Amino acid sequence: MAGTDRGREPILGGPAIILVEPQLGENIGAAARAMLNFGLTDLRLVKPRDGWPNPRAKALASRADMVIDNARLFDSTAEAIADLSRVYATTARQRDMSKRVATPAEAADEMRAAYQAGATCGVLFGGERAGLHNDDIVLADTVLTVPLNPAFASINLAQAVLLIGYEWFQTGGIEPASVTGSREAPPASKADLVHLFEHLEDELTESGFFDPTPGKKPVMVRNLRNMLQRAGFTEPDVRTLRGVIKSLAQGRRRRSGVGDAASKDGEDA
Amino acid sequence: MAGTDRGREPILGGPAIILVEPQLGENIGAAARAMLNFGLTDLRLVKPRDGWPNPRAKALASRADMVIDNARLFDSTAEAIADLSRVYATTARQRDMSKRVATPAEAADEMRAAYQAGATCGVLFGGERAGLHNDDIVLADTVLTVPLNPAFASINLAQAVLLIGYEWFQTGGIEPASVTGSREAPPASKADLVHLFEHLEDELTESGFFDPTPGKKPVMVRNLRNMLQRAGFTEPDVRTLRGVIKSLAQGRRRRSGVGDAASKDGEDA
């Protein structure tokens, strides 16, 4: 369907599309096209297999090369989503994780409302072969699953991006929701949350919380992160929790020479 | 996104997808995949440029080859739609034609209603280069246009088919395969929550967390309780949190040599 009106300004903005360990440059290019079809321009790449920049991505992107040129490269999913306050993880297979599941239409409505309230969002997509790692999904607030024929539920990366973009674009005509609700504090950024996780896990490691059986600690860490992620903490909540952890682990007044409270940067409530 | 459940029967039926003078076999194969993703199986081809059957279509269709194998070939659009009672013509550009225009979502609702009333429907897609001829569009009841970024409104044939299939599938009331995946634990009882609050507040009192200024502690306690209340913790969450508090506090006491860890009765996670 060829119908581009070259005189018009592209529609810009909207959720970040984060491709985690994508493999083929062609698929990154096709994803960029699908993004721009629906006005999405914030492309982020976590460890693309064939390095970056990738000439095959640019070739496939064709006139969506502005999305490719502005793509940002990250070493980890946590870094790629650090500035976002709401993150969705697209999965096809069922995962053993107690996390909210949304359809693209639901996610688009939620993201549009979040943008109208000044928050930023992103959607994680896994690599072509295996999808997202569980450790990436843990960092997301919500799992996003496209309803598909269960007997033939395999769609490619660009198609998954296309459907999310399509639903996002559909919500564009919606009038801003009335802002009469309770004045909520801003949601914590993913960077704040990851610092909270790491602070807690460091202290729990030191206090002997984790089961020393090999393989147990990662599972316990994932469960803790899932639980704290689900809680939907705000920025002030996270500051308070860091103070709580610091106080429990170190005490306000250090009572011994062991441990150095000053080395922890959790703020007091 | 790889998530096909090979044990399940494919969902069959729904509107016919009619490709009018498609050029590349690869695109026919990709369209067949997009169809089967959403349970569509009635593929009709009008004068495909490279003849039929086309091995490249079959190669691209991969496991959707049943759609390719059952595709029917026609010499004209009129013949291809002869048995249908409602036909949509997808176009990207505006045509000088006074015809009703529907979005994919509207068309899907109408087609679902038509099927429930025993009528049959189809959607016409033009060739890759120029789209549908005006003579084809004339045969349709309604023009179907995908809302796209006007500055970048070019999507490929398989993507257009994908979006129509997606909307059709949405009207079916079919749950996404993994909605059953999130097995929610029961919410914590208020008694469990209050015990959690008290445990935390006891330990924070001992660790010197609370501001000693008169009147400050009750406010801090109230804020903490509000925050933990809002988080919507489950029963297992509360057990985990009690274990976390116990571990952090005992770790501190061990390090400082103060207090008797055995006097605290926080449960382990």
Side-chain angles (χ1 to χ4, degrees):
Chain A
M1 295 173 78
T4 296
D5 180 346
R6 281 153 207 270
R8 302 225 207 167
E9 285 295 303
I11 297 168
L12 302 177
I17 297 297
I18 306 127
L19 308 184
V20 181
E21 301 180 24
Q23 302 188 323
L24 296 171
E26 288 84 344
N27 289 340
I28 302 173
R33 287 181 61 89
M35 287 174 65
L36 194 57
N37 278 144
F38 298 110
L40 299 178
T41 53
D42 184 354
L43 175 61
R44 307 177 183 196
L45 304 170
V46 179
K47 291 189 282 187
R49 185 190 65 186
D50 299 336
W52 195 256
N54 182 330
R56 306 183 79 167
K58 189 134 174 179
L60 232 289
S62 147
R63 287 205 323 106
D65 52 359
M66 65 89 87
V67 175
I68 293 291
D69 290 340
N70 292 324
R72 281 176 284 171
L73 193 63
F74 296 90
D75 287 330
S76 70
T77 302
E79 289 168 80
I81 64 174
D83 61 316
L84 304 175
S85 49
R86 181 190 282 268
V87 173
Y88 295 81
T90 51
T91 69
R93 283 177 293 118
Q94 248 176 272
R95 311 287 185 125
D96 275 341
M97 227 178 269
S98 123
K99 225 181 238 306
R100 206 176 134 258
V101 178
T103 64
E106 290 162 351
D109 282 343
E110 293 166 7
M111 291 194 290
R112 181 67 66 176
Y115 271 84
Q116 282 162 353
T120 52
C121 305
V123 184
L124 296 167
F125 295 83
E128 290 90 331
R129 187 178 303 263
L132 289 168
H133 306 292
N134 282 343
D135 286 340
D136 295 325
I137 298 174
V138 162
L139 296 173
D141 302 286
T142 305
V143 164
L144 203 171
T145 300
V146 176
L148 289 164
N149 180 359
F152 192 67
S154 157
I155 63 174
N156 71 35
L157 185 56
Q159 287 175 322
V161 171
L162 186 86
L163 292 174
I164 307 306
Y166 171 75
E167 287 287 9
W168 163 259
F169 198 72
Q170 301 261 86
T171 64
I174 291 164
E175 287 296 301
S178 59
V179 197
T180 49
S182 62
R183 190 162 292 278
E184 288 285 315
S189 72
K190 294 303 170 195
D192 288 345
L193 269 181
V194 167
H195 288 141
L196 171 69
F197 297 159
E198 289 170 350
H199 180 188
L200 178 61
E201 291 151 16
D202 285 351
E203 291 293 4
L204 286 175
T205 301
E206 194 159 332
S207 71
F209 177 79
F210 293 111
D211 189 327
T213 313
K216 283 279 191 180
K217 181 174 169 179
V219 174
M220 293 174 80
V221 163
R222 202 177 296 145
N223 288 340
L224 273 174
R225 288 186 173 203
N226 261 333
M227 172 179 78
L228 295 173
Q229 183 80 53
R230 270 201 317 272
F233 289 125
T234 64
E235 268 175 36
D237 288 345
V238 167
R239 276 200 301 280
T240 300
L241 286 169
R242 304 243 358 221
V244 163
I245 296 165
K246 180 181 172 187
S247 179
L248 288 176
Q250 308 285 340
R252 179 165 290 258
R253 297 170 298 274
R254 271 178 293 150
R255 301 183 195 189
S256 75
V258 183
D260 177 14
S263 72
K264 298 288 168 188
D265 62 352
E267 291 169 51
D268 290 319
Chain B
M1 296 170 79
T4 295
D5 181 345
R6 281 154 207 269
R8 300 223 207 171
E9 286 295 304
I11 296 168
L12 302 178
I17 298 296
I18 305 127
L19 309 184
V20 180
E21 300 180 24
Q23 303 187 324
L24 296 172
E26 288 84 343
N27 289 341
I28 302 172
R33 286 180 62 89
M35 287 175 64
L36 194 57
N37 279 144
F38 297 110
L40 299 178
T41 52
D42 184 354
L43 175 61
R44 306 178 184 196
L45 305 170
V46 178
K47 291 190 281 186
R49 187 190 64 185
D50 298 337
W52 196 256
N54 182 330
R56 307 182 80 166
K58 188 134 174 179
L60 231 289
S62 148
R63 286 208 322 105
D65 51 0
M66 62 92 87
V67 176
I68 293 290
D69 291 341
N70 292 323
R72 280 177 285 169
L73 192 63
F74 295 91
D75 287 329
S76 70
T77 302
E79 290 168 79
I81 63 175
D83 62 317
L84 304 176
S85 51
R86 180 190 282 267
V87 174
Y88 295 80
T90 52
T91 70
R93 285 176 292 120
Q94 252 179 305
R95 310 287 184 122
D96 277 340
M97 227 177 271
S98 90
K99 222 181 246 300
R100 206 175 134 258
V101 177
T103 64
E106 290 162 352
D109 283 342
E110 293 165 7
M111 291 193 290
R112 183 65 67 179
Y115 270 84
Q116 281 162 354
T120 52
C121 305
V123 184
L124 296 168
F125 295 82
E128 290 91 331
R129 188 180 302 264
L132 289 170
H133 307 294
N134 282 344
D135 287 342
D136 296 325
I137 298 174
V138 163
L139 297 173
D141 301 289
T142 305
V143 165
L144 202 171
T145 300
V146 177
L148 289 163
N149 181 358
F152 193 67
S154 157
I155 63 174
N156 70 35
L157 184 57
Q159 287 175 321
V161 171
L162 187 86
L163 292 174
I164 306 307
Y166 171 75
E167 287 288 9
W168 163 259
F169 198 70
Q170 299 262 87
T171 63
I174 292 156
E175 290 289 296
S178 71
V179 157
T180 50
S182 63
R183 188 164 298 280
E184 286 291 320
S189 71
K190 293 305 169 199
D192 287 345
L193 269 181
V194 168
H195 288 140
L196 171 69
F197 297 158
E198 290 170 350
H199 180 190
L200 179 61
E201 291 149 16
D202 284 352
E203 289 294 3
L204 287 173
T205 302
E206 186 175 320
S207 71
F209 178 79
F210 293 111
D211 189 328
T213 314
K216 283 277 191 181
K217 180 174 169 180
V219 174
M220 293 174 79
V221 164
R222 201 175 303 136
N223 288 342
L224 273 175
R225 288 187 174 205
N226 262 332
M227 172 179 77
L228 296 173
Q229 185 77 54
R230 266 203 319 273
F233 288 124
T234 63
E235 268 175 36
D237 288 345
V238 167
R239 276 199 301 279
T240 300
L241 286 169
R242 304 255 339 235
V244 163
I245 296 165
K246 179 180 172 188
S247 177
L248 291 175
Q250 289 187 346
R252 183 188 77 247
R253 281 192 288 272
R254 243 195 332 272
R255 270 184 273 173
S256 61
V258 179
D260 174 15
S263 71
K264 296 288 167 188
D265 62 352
E267 291 167 50
D268 288 319

